[in-house]
Amino acid sequence: MRKPVWLFSEGSLKRRDLLGNKGANLCEMTSLGMPVPFGFIITTQTHLEYQRLRQRIPEGTMEEVKAALLKMEIRQGAEFGNPVNPLLVSVRSGASVSMPGMMDTLLNLGINDEIVEGLAKLTANPRFAYDTYRRFLQLYGAVVGGKGIHPYTQILKDYRQQHGLEEHADLDVGELKEIIGLFKKIHLPPDNPWTQLENAIGAVFSSWNNPRAQTYRRLNDIPDSIGTAVIIQAMVFGNMGQNSGSGIAFTRNPSTGEKEFFGEYLMNAEGEDIASGRRTPRSLNEFKEESPILYNQLFQLQKTLEEHYRDMQDLEFTIQENRLYLLQTRSGKRTAKAAVKIAVDLVNEGLISEKEALRRMDPEMARFFMHPMIDPQAEKNVLALGLPASPGAVTGKIVFTSEEAQKAKDQGDQVILVRVETTPEDIHGMQAALGILTTSGGMTSHAALLARGMGRTCIVGCKGLSVDEKKQRLILEDGSVIRKGRLLTLDGSSGEVMEGRVPTIDAHEDQDYLTLLSWADKYRRLKIRANAETSKEALTALRFGAEGIGLCRTEHVFFHPESIDVFREMIFAQSPEEKQEKLNQLSAFQVRELKQLFKVMDGLPVTLRLLDPPLSEFLPQAKSEIEKLARRLGRETESLMKQVGALHEKNPMLGFRGSRLSIIYPEISTMQMDSILTAAIQSQRNGTIVKPEIMVPLVTSSGELEVILQNLEQTAKQTFLRLGQNIQYKLGTMMEVPRACVQSRTVAPQVQFMSFDTHDLTQLTFGFSREDSGKFLPDYIERQILAFDPFIHLDQQGVGNLIRMALEQSRKVQKKMEYGICGDHGGDPRSIKFFHRIGIDYVSCSPHLVPVACLAAAKASI
Amino acid sequence: MRKPVWLFSEGSLKRRDLLGNKGANLCEMTSLGMPVPFGFIITTQTHLEYQRLRQRIPEGTMEEVKAALLKMEIRQGAEFGNPVNPLLVSVRSGASVSMPGMMDTLLNLGINDEIVEGLAKLTANPRFAYDTYRRFLQLYGAVVGGKGIHPYTQILKDYRQQHGLEEHADLDVGELKEIIGLFKKIHLPPDNPWTQLENAIGAVFSSWNNPRAQTYRRLNDIPDSIGTAVIIQAMVFGNMGQNSGSGIAFTRNPSTGEKEFFGEYLMNAEGEDIASGRRTPRSLNEFKEESPILYNQLFQLQKTLEEHYRDMQDLEFTIQENRLYLLQTRSGKRTAKAAVKIAVDLVNEGLISEKEALRRMDPEMARFFMHPMIDPQAEKNVLALGLPASPGAVTGKIVFTSEEAQKAKDQGDQVILVRVETTPEDIHGMQAALGILTTSGGMTSHAALLARGMGRTCIVGCKGLSVDEKKQRLILEDGSVIRKGRLLTLDGSSGEVMEGRVPTIDAHEDQDYLTLLSWADKYRRLKIRANAETSKEALTALRFGAEGIGLCRTEHVFFHPESIDVFREMIFAQSPEEKQEKLNQLSAFQVRELKQLFKVMDGLPVTLRLLDPPLSEFLPQAKSEIEKLARRLGRETESLMKQVGALHEKNPMLGFRGSRLSIIYPEISTMQMDSILTAAIQSQRNGTIVKPEIMVPLVTSSGELEVILQNLEQTAKQTFLRLGQNIQYKLGTMMEVPRACVQSRTVAPQVQFMSFDTHDLTQLTFGFSREDSGKFLPDYIERQILAFDPFIHLDQQGVGNLIRMALEQSRKVQKKMEYGICGDHGGDPRSIKFFHRIGIDYVSCSPHLVPVACLAAAKASI
């Protein structure tokens, strides 16, 4: 292994994979001449080796660490482990992809009973020295000692309550010593600073595999194989008194994206005091007033950094006795709204190109703009006001634990998770909730950061409310009570917490967002269509930028209350004449519905899939319902029961549906084809431009297609004759069966387009029934047996290879073929990237995912 | 189009594709100088053109026909259409593959009211002339007139009855004239002989597409695209009186294969009189006595033909006024037993090689030798004796129509079809029946020929019985009655019709058959294993030549009455301890069963598939059964119902089964693995050589396999430690999910063998549930949407391509991989040919198909 330890002065951004994101940024700041405390990095490679050695630090590493530390001692003029002039260090994690708060950090290493006294003497600040010792014991015991943070915070809380103190900062030396005694009883660290250091490095390495880090990586698709670096840095102290402090700053507002230097700080505190949200911090505006020189210095630094990185930065700084230090910079997490505004602004400021703006965009962020915001006209009863940590407007039932949030979500409820403050253990609950409300913490607290990342609406630091965890209720300032399960509405943009459900309107008209989408349209090659059945859905799709309908499930109209009975009568018709009469009635419904659809989609293609579900889906299953149907049909219940029973299938997914129905009951396809063309011609007569594309589902062989297309073309001829008018139409097939992909060569010559239903293709390629896979699939994902859920992201190796094969083969025989995607993956950015790469022409997704798909398609093109 | 018409003297066997089988053989016989009436052939190419032109004879063809006919007139010294010296011709069909009786034939063309009188004068044989006219009118009206044969035979039958005549041959000229008058009323042919001829050619061409010809082609996998030739030949007349006649002969006995010249004839009759079975013909032995010179001539000709063709021949001959003519030769249809004996004899006679013998063998014939024959020791009550037309011994319920045979078969009954005589319309019924019994007809009747081809046991010409079709019963000579549905036993080797069920024994020990199998073993590359679970099945498999077990479904033992309750208790165990206790009990069953199996399979590999079906298959579904189980378990019925219900799946085929169970419930795999190895080691200690191959089912990804194999290997270590002994074993996976095939590259490095379950792979590749596909698949086959049922023959284009892909990819990473097949296709010759070609190592099939597979594998190798 080469060079396990790098000084900040040796590295650069280019070695991010080796030095981690945090480490590489510290190197970069060092080379920019910024006030970064001296430090060095143990590489990610060393960490990978550590894992290969089963949690043992590779030989030679500690020697390199000692050598680097020697340089630090020289630079700092202090000595690690020397009670007279002690050097303390921090030990932090830092992977090449930011995983905020997920791994462990140790601070103030190199202290013990003897050194704390030396430190007190040296600084003439015993309160600082003992507070530092207290902090060391607390983190070391929690992390290396494996005790967790809870016993320590409990002691502090109890102690404060017993002594009537509001903040830790109020503890005096005697009190701190008492607390130190209590802390030592929980876990007693080794006296030897070197042992502390080696243990700390091991603990940070090992924290890579703690459950919350694993969950975070899985949720964010971060591979396990990248590993983490460890950063060892000379401590600077924000807890040295009222001329010291710590802060977090953003170069632009991470919530709105406004170009304003924005941040929070606490005097006489370390950074963790802000991140944990225990004390509500002060805004940088106050800092500007109180310490204009330091503020100005910080302001210049952030400006330089943003220009250097050409992106909004999230900084950590510490002031030690009126000297400013930067401890970290990184691209700041931001709300979707901020991300869009910042990107557009940076383009306008000439810092980045349009393409770069698109490249930086997480297409999923577009989902936010589909979220509503509070209707300005709405009446609302504001119960409390908190900090607007992540925008959006949501209404949900309140719950008080992550477990309940998950449970309620599983039951289909929309929930708001209410906590005093969130911890990394709450990821699951936050994921399950629509919104998060905390009564403490600031804009940069854990809850705020994570909610913004997840696109969840979030209000933090809502002091007007208090949480009664035991009784599972919220208490308002006037003493009134809101119990679990009651509806609240959160406005993440204003910080308002409102009673009940408040009407909302759309965020879709945001100008920056529309600008970004217009850029996406400029650069993407993939066309975006939407899956829509009704004219209402089609309108939504159009509003969101759809360029056509990629999947209209034509049978949806037969499920309407007015037509379902006719459909059933058709199934059970006793004579050809009766059957035809029912088909005629169904045709009238189909024509009416399609004319509305065509009108909305004027000029754009509309893909109409013929009847797909098995007939049994149209029938009642309960005996009482069958009896009702029997009465309607004038039939014996028993014989009807038998007929309904005969339609039951053991594996309906593999049964009598799709094209199989078109072959055995061609009269249904005939009726649908005739209806489609009749609606199209009538619409055309009304001046609408109609581009119908008729799609045959569930095809496995060219033979099926031949029989069906012959019938469709024959029907078209008759319809044209009857109406005295022709219309252009396309014929295509849905590709959803592995065999059709393997044999696309024989299917291709007959059709003008192929649309892959990646959902059903995934079911058949894996042999996974979506409905039944709940018994094992979550476990597969949890245990990484599958890297991800193949119903969410396309399985490129398996399903994707089948699609690629289908494209290669069919292109050989049909150069002009048009290829589409109409499964759920059509709205998934990662899948879209793949579809772009293999040469798909368009994806079709649910209307509200159209902008996501647009952005993903643009990113794929760039 | 080149040369639509070929004289017999111009063609040869090499042009069989163009001239058809019958035509090419007539050319061959002509070139051998045999007495073949002059004739010529319209090519199959002309027929294909005819179809392209939508049933129009291509231009220029009739001119060529006229030119050829002119040559015929010169050779025969007679003139087509000339009343003074008329030439009559036959028009027959003949594809390159024999389709006996499936297409139409016309005889005696070129006759009309005027010509019949000329013919009577010329031959001084008015009876012959009018009988010939009668025959012409009958066939022409039936075929060209589209009236079918029935109205004509009805008139003849009625007339005979009214006039107390036994045979057509007894009709005198006056009577024939009366009948001719009646026939003309049914359909009046054109007077012009040339019109007759052109119409006849068209009718024969068109008969290619009659339903029974289509069915025959489908059943025999004959492509539609080969088309038929038409043979036009000068008539020779077997109906010229008692010195004329017609006959059919086989160069060897087609039923037993004995080397004996064998045949039947009728004097004063045309060939159709024999084939139809209306008159019971006489044996050639009688012919030898009555006409030794002609017999001797015939004997020499057949000898020459057999030596020329190096195969048993089926001849048609006609004697016209003591002159012998050959009308046809072809490889004779034969029983499986005869096929084997003839092939082995021909090898012994030095006429063909062992490889040639195997090449000629239809592997499906081996099925016959799996059929039983009547136990010589058995008591039997013989009701009647018929002609032994196709051997085998079967017992079944009697039915009297093809429809009933089909219906009864669909209900799972074994049936015997009883008919006076069969017609081509009976193919379906014969296919559905185990045996066929006719009361009239000879050894070369339609029923006999077809039954031999199909491998059905058949007795014909059973005069001691008469069929009462109306009352659906058989009447014995003593007047007693056997009604529909009663059991009869047929011995197709002796012709005995017996009452009830008579015990049978095996035909498997036939020496010629065993010789042939030993040749097959010599030449095949594919290994043959059997699918077997019990030691009894394994014994059968061994007896039939299996070289191992390719699929033992290990869970079968848990379905035994003694273990099913334990399995259920295991599923519903309330504590880990209880679960383990139940698993231990199950292990004891598994070990005991496997030891028996290993003992039988001493020295041979045994592939053991881990638990595959979903747990729900082990549970009762009826409420009363669940109640019983609840009592057993001491549980509330309702909560148990809920648990059972929770295991219900919408698509179990795509659900929680196979490897998915092994991952979620590793303890079951652990138990099975431990049981397998324990049984193996204990068997080894008893001196048995055990080669266990453990197979993981339903794998879709390398991740699953990794988790499962780790558990299995861990278990193996512990078992070896516990028993203080190791044993070699292989680990492999069942390939049944499309994704595993597409991704075999990642699965391969972990396993030593892959066994393709082509049955499930077919289900998933097509999206066809075997259970549910009955609603559409038969229709698909019927309508040729699919060329064949992919569950019977492997779909090489789709499923086969996936397998091929899996082999190619996995070989790249695992050179030593062993590949097997364990789906139903492992016993299907056509599929086996494919498996051989792509490099599979072994197929596994049901024990009774092992010889079929052996022969198929040998054929594939040759």
Side-chain angles (χ1 to χ4, degrees), chain B residues 163-235:
Chain B
H163 296 75
L165 303 169
E166 198 167 321
E167 295 194 3
H168 305 349
D170 300 334
L171 295 163
D172 66 22
V173 174
E175 289 162 341
L176 282 166
K177 283 183 176 169
E178 264 186 75
I179 287 169
I180 284 168
L182 294 169
F183 278 13
K184 281 183 178 169
K185 283 186 193 152
I186 300 175
H187 179 81
L188 188 65
D191 268 349
N192 185 335
W194 289 103
T195 314
Q196 291 174 7
L197 182 60
E198 186 160 355
N199 290 352
I201 293 169
V204 172
F205 273 162
S206 294
S207 69
W208 177 255
N209 283 321
N210 73 42
R212 63 173 198 269
Q214 289 190 18
T215 302
Y216 187 90
R217 285 201 296 278
R218 199 167 56 248
L219 288 176
N220 292 278
D221 298 321
I222 300 169
D224 282 348
S225 60
I226 60 169
T228 185
V230 169
I231 296 141
I232 296 169
Q233 198 172 13
M235 281 299 298

Side-chain angles (χ1 to χ4, degrees), chain B residues 446-622:
Chain B
H446 175 264
L449 281 176
L450 234 75
R452 284 200 283 274
M454 291 177 176
R456 295 289 179 278
T457 296
C458 180
I459 296 174
V460 296
C462 193
K463 304 228 161 197
L465 297 171
S466 59
V467 173
D468 180 350
E469 284 191 347
K470 270 201 189 133
K471 294 198 177 160
Q472 303 251 314
R473 56 187 194 170
L474 263 179
I475 301 165
L476 271 62
E477 279 188 331
D478 65 3
S480 61
V481 156
I482 304 173
R483 294 183 196 287
K484 190 179 81 166
R486 286 273 301 280
L487 278 188
L488 287 188
T489 297
L490 305 185
D491 182 348
S493 309
S494 68
E496 288 172 328
V497 179
M498 291 157 282
E499 195 181 8
R501 184 180 295 281
V502 181
T504 55
I505 58 166
D506 232 305
H508 185 66
E509 303 303 326
D510 182 285
Q511 271 313 314
D512 292 316
Y513 171 67
L514 293 177
T515 301
L516 201 77
L517 283 183
S518 73
W519 295 340
D521 289 345
K522 189 152 73 180
Y523 295 109
R524 68 187 158 84
R525 180 187 62 69
L526 273 175
K527 298 270 176 202
I528 315 293
R529 298 192 189 178
N531 302 344
E533 272 96 50
T534 62
S535 50
K536 196 176 153 208
E537 287 170 351
L539 266 174
T540 308
L542 274 189
R543 232 182 100 232
F544 291 162
E547 296 162 294
I549 290 180
L551 177 59
C552 168
R553 300 170 184 90
T554 53
E555 69 272 5
H556 92 103
V557 68
F558 307 137
F559 285 105
H560 286 187
E562 59 172 11
S563 51
I564 183 76
D565 282 327
V566 183
F567 199 90
R568 289 168 179 174
E569 287 159 7
M570 186 274 291
I571 295 178
F572 296 116
Q574 306 272 24
S575 70
E577 294 72 29
E578 188 192 344
K579 184 158 220 174
Q580 193 53 51
E581 188 203 318
K582 298 303 169 188
L583 285 168
N584 292 347
Q585 289 177 35
L586 292 171
S587 177
F589 293 123
Q590 187 102 72
V591 169
R592 192 183 60 192
E593 184 91 3
L594 287 177
K595 278 168 75 177
Q596 290 169 5
L597 191 66
F598 289 148
K599 194 171 171 191
V600 171
M601 297 306 294
D602 188 7
L604 296 174
V606 178
T607 308
L608 301 138
R609 189 196 61 190
L610 300 180
L611 179 69
D612 185 50
L615 295 186
S616 56
E617 283 198 15
F618 293 91
L619 299 179
Q621 296 303 325

Side-chain angles (χ1 to χ4, degrees), chain A residues 646 650-654 660 663 700 704 707 737 739 743 765-769 772 775 780 783 785 795, chain B residues 646 650-654 660 663 700 704 707 737 739 765-769 772 775 780 783 785 795 797:
Chain A
K650 196 159 176 209
N651 290 287
M653 177 67 209
L654 308 173
R660 299 161 196 177
I663 286 179
T700 67
E704 289 164 299
V707 170
V737 177
R739 191 179 190 276
Q743 269 295 287
T765 304
F766 275 90
F768 283 171
S769 159
D772 303 319
K775 293 197 176 71
Y780 274 36
R783 292 167 62 184
I785 291 169
D795 160 47
Chain B
K650 198 161 176 208
N651 291 288
M653 176 69 208
L654 308 174
R660 298 160 197 178
I663 286 179
T700 67
E704 289 164 300
V707 170
V737 176
R739 191 179 191 276
T765 305
F766 275 90
F768 283 171
S769 160
D772 303 319
K775 293 195 175 72
Y780 274 36
R783 294 166 63 183
I785 291 169
D795 160 47
Q797 258 82 47

